[in-house]
Structure formats: C-alpha cells, structure tokens
Amino acid sequence: KSIYELQQTRKNIIDYIDVKMESIAPNLRLLVGSSLGAKLIAHSGGLKRLASYPSSTVQIMGAEKALFRHLKSGDRPPKYGLIYQHPQVRGAKWWNRGKIARLLAGRISLAARKDVFTHDFDPEIFNEFTTKAEEIEKNNPFPTKTTKKRKEEKRRCFE
C-alpha cells in the first residue's frame, strides 16, 4: 500500500510539473521535456537566469565537479551535464554525443530566451533540433581517428 501511495505521489508531482512548465516555459518543455526543463531551471536559479546563460554554460550545467577537476588537474573537460538525460544525447553514439549536446545547449538557450522575453510558442525550435541532430548522426557514422601527433599536441596544451 505504501509503495502504491509513493507511486501515486510521484505521478501527481510529475503531472504538476508538466502543467507548470507548459504555462511558464512552453518552448523549453517541448524541446527537453518537463522534468529536464524543471531541473535546468532549478539548477540555474530561475528561468530568467537560465535565459541569460550562454549555451556553453547550459551545456555543462550539472557537471561542475568535472569542470573544476579539468581546470585543476588538466583532465578532459566535460561535454555535457544535466542535458545528458535528453534522449537524443543519451541515445547518440559516443563520438556524436558532444556535438549533439552542443546543439541542444544552443537550442535550450534560444527556447528559454523566447519563453522569458517574447512569450511566443515556436515549435520550429524542436523540429530544427531533431533535423540537425539526425544530420549529425548521418554525417558521422564512424568515430574520427586521432593520430599520435594530435594526442601529443593536446597533451602539451595542458602543460
């Protein structure tokens, strides 16, 4: 009985978030969904602050620990944070995830700005994103090979 009640409570919360996101940020909700949109808004401290962030910040939002580890010790920089939860990013091949995450972060910035400043609902943001994400997957069917020379150049940059 208690498990059933917890499931019902969770369902009620998800429904509530969905209704609120539709009224507050319809473009963001269409692009990333209610749950991920709410997480991004909560992490940034509000929809207006999310709209003011550049897409590079939106891309790594939620991966601060990895970012500071990169800055401190020269580890590889994070490619995505919270937006990894998006099905297009998570479902992409590993060599395309960074490209799609960068594209999604740019579209999230646009969607948040439309929601805050113009209040216009534009379903074309989502359509453009899916088209370009499919194009990235089609144009990069195999991982690019990094040569030993390129790896050495990258290593020297971090020293």
Side-chain angles (χ1 to χ4, degrees):
K1 184 180 176 184
S2 62
I3 292 173
Y4 176 75
E5 288 174 3
L6 286 173
Q7 289 174 336
Q8 288 301 100
T9 305
R10 180 181 174 156
K11 186 183 178 308
N12 292 340
I13 291 171
I14 290 171
D15 292 342
Y16 174 78
I17 290 171
D18 193 46
V19 168
K20 283 294 180 187
M21 284 293 292
E22 186 158 6
S23 65
I24 295 170
N27 291 307
L28 187 62
R29 178 182 166 266
L30 176 66
L31 185 63
V32 296
S34 300
S35 177
L36 182 54
K39 286 177 188 176
L40 289 168
I41 291 170
H43 196 82
S44 64
L47 185 59
K48 197 165 189 175
R49 283 191 70 184
L50 180 63
S52 69
Y53 285 162
S55 60
S56 58
T57 302
V58 173
Q59 183 177 348
I60 59 169
M61 195 182 294
E64 288 84 6
K65 190 175 179 181
L67 176 66
F68 292 123
R69 184 175 54 240
H70 158 70
L71 294 172
K72 185 177 178 185
S73 66
D75 284 355
R76 295 181 63 131
K79 292 182 181 178
Y80 31 74
L82 285 171
I83 62 175
Y84 181 76
Q85 297 172 13
H86 193 275
Q88 289 281 102
V89 177
R90 191 178 53 238
K93 295 181 175 79
W94 62 268
W95 60 87
N96 289 330
R97 281 187 192 141
K99 297 176 185 82
I100 294 174
R102 190 169 52 246
L103 174 67
L104 179 60
R107 298 297 167 187
I108 288 171
S109 293
L110 288 173
R113 289 171 188 162
K114 277 194 179 253
D115 288 333
V116 170
F117 301 115
T118 64
H119 304 290
D120 292 334
F121 179 65
D122 185 14
E124 209 43 47
I125 294 174
F126 177 73
N127 296 335
E128 288 174 7
F129 167 70
T130 54
T131 305
K132 288 188 178 183
E134 289 168 0
E135 190 177 307
I136 288 171
E137 287 281 349
K138 189 180 79 172
N139 292 340
N140 300 295
F142 303 108
T144 56
K145 294 180 182 173
T146 56
T147 61
K148 199 172 193 180
K149 186 177 179 183
R150 279 182 64 192
K151 285 183 180 178
E152 183 64 28
E153 288 173 8
K154 284 184 182 178
R155 191 184 58 77
R156 271 189 266 137
C157 289
F158 289 119
E159 289 178 352

